[in-house]
Structure formats: C-alpha cells, structure tokens
Amino acid sequence: MFRYSHQLQFSAKPEKPDALYAMKVQELIGGQFGEMTVMMQYLFQGFNCRMPGKYKDMIMDIGTEEIGHVEMLTTMVARLLEGAPAEVTEKAVATNPVLAAVIGGQNPHHAIVAGGGAMPTNSQGVPWNAGYIVASGNLLTDFRSNVAAEAQSRLQTSRLYGMTDDPGVKAMLQFNLARDTFHQQQWLLGIQQLVDDGLADVLEDSRGSEEDQQQNHTFWSFSLDGSAAGEGRWASGTALVGDQPIEYLPEPAFLTDDDGLLPPPDPELFSTYDGDQGPGTPGDAAGARVQGAKNVATKIKDALT
C-alpha cells in the first residue's frame, strides 16, 4: 500500500516559464531511460521479489522514491508551461522574433492534449513503452540493468542541465543528479551483497556446468585488417569466473560445416524461390495442428519409456 504526501521530495519551481525546455524535460519523464522507466522497473522487480527482507525492501524503497521523481518532473513541466503559449508567445513575438521562434518550439501536445501539463511520453511525443523495463526475477541481472538505467538517466539529466540557465530548474536537476549518482552505487552495492550472501556469482552463470567449457573463456576477433582489441584486459589474463586463462583468437576457425541454407518454402506462402533446394512441402493450419498433436504424443511416449 502506498501513502501519498502533497509535499514534493524536492522543490520544482522554475524562475520563469520556458515551453521549449518543458518539451525537453519530457525525455526525463517518459523516455526510454526516463523516470517512468526506472519507477516501473523497480516496482515490478520489487513486486516479483520472492525474498522478504532487505532486498525486497530496498527495491521497493527506491521504486517508491522514483514515483516522487516522476511527480517532481511533471510539476516542473506544468510550471514551465505556465502562461504558454498565449501570454509568453505574444510578448515574445512583440519584442523579439528570434525568442518567439524558440518559444514556438513548444510541444503542441502540451497545449492540445495535456492542457498545459506533462504527458507519459518522451520529448518527441512518443508514448512511454512498458517494453523499456527489465524485471526478470533474477536480482543479479536486474541490478545490472538498474545500474545501466541510472547511468543513462543521469547522463541525460546532465545534458539537460547544460541547456538551461534557470536557477530553479538547475536546483532540481542538481538534486536529481545526486540521487542518480547514489542509485548507481546502491545497485552496485546490491550486486556485491548478493555475492557476499552467496546468492550470485560475479556474473550470471546459471547452468554453467552445461555450457561449452572451451568457449567460456575465448575472445573471438573478426577484424580482417587487424584489431587492437587484443590489447585489452578482456583478451588476456584470467577469466572472471573459474581459473581458465582468457584465450585470444585473432583468426577464429569455423566450428561447423553448417552453411545456413533454409529448407524449401511452402509453395502456398508464395516466397521467392528458384527451386534449387527441391520442391517445398505444402502446409496449412490443420497440418500444423496434426504435427503438434504428434509432438505431444511423442513426448508422452518418451516419458513413459
């Protein structure tokens, strides 16, 4: 259960309206690496966490904080749009055509769709997409995704910081930059805690005993004109998992004679085909169902023998 407080986590008061900058701030709200993404990402990770205690509580704490960050940014957008487009644009047009052109860059959706408010979109008006979030149920892989999300979010905030001279906007962005700095550390420390608690290795290695033991410590280089990649730590020394030395392959050999040829197409699908692979086998939905039934029967038979 969430409880709502009217008080923001930090002030969101610009010194003056700026409709064009309001459009830019939309990226920090509904962009791929905006606050809506990390908010939903952390909340779903927390909802799906199967370990009551410090991990679930930490994830939910930061997810809840991100709800507040979305509100701060939407409040900032509404205040940057105050008086726009009519009042601000009218004064600008009357005094400075260049300034009028800048203010004319306002996102029309702010006025037409949102009535002078923020939207769950990026700076170009593209709606936020739930496909942006990562919530796999594996805390190691999720925490690594969270570090990257916070880093990208902070980078974009830093870029926006340099695009305004409004002290009120800068003050809020300074706060956001600081929170993104610590959130990166929070997830990195979370990864270390998982390792210390014996819940994860340095990297995701589920079914590690079943993987190709020769290829889990080799670097394949595919440059025909020479590559400097072999100079990096990733191409020499000991692998991070296990005691195997990293093997650098400047001219890796093919490991198969599979030429990747596709089977002849179903003639009823009318794919472009010259007949080199022989005639295709006609198929239809009924045939697919029959094959599916055969597959099930085979699995049951195998399980009983």
Side-chain angles (χ1 to χ4, degrees), residues 77-98:
V77 166
R79 289 171 174 171
L80 286 168
L81 291 170
E82 183 179 3
E87 179 184 345
V88 175
T89 303
E90 180 180 353
K91 290 181 179 179
V93 169
T95 60
N96 189 331
V98 175

Side-chain angles (χ1 to χ4, degrees), residues 91-114:
K91 290 181 179 179
V93 169
T95 60
N96 189 331
V98 175
L99 182 58
V102 173
I103 295 180
Q106 176 189 4
N107 186 338
H109 282 190
H110 280 157
I112 300 170
V113 178

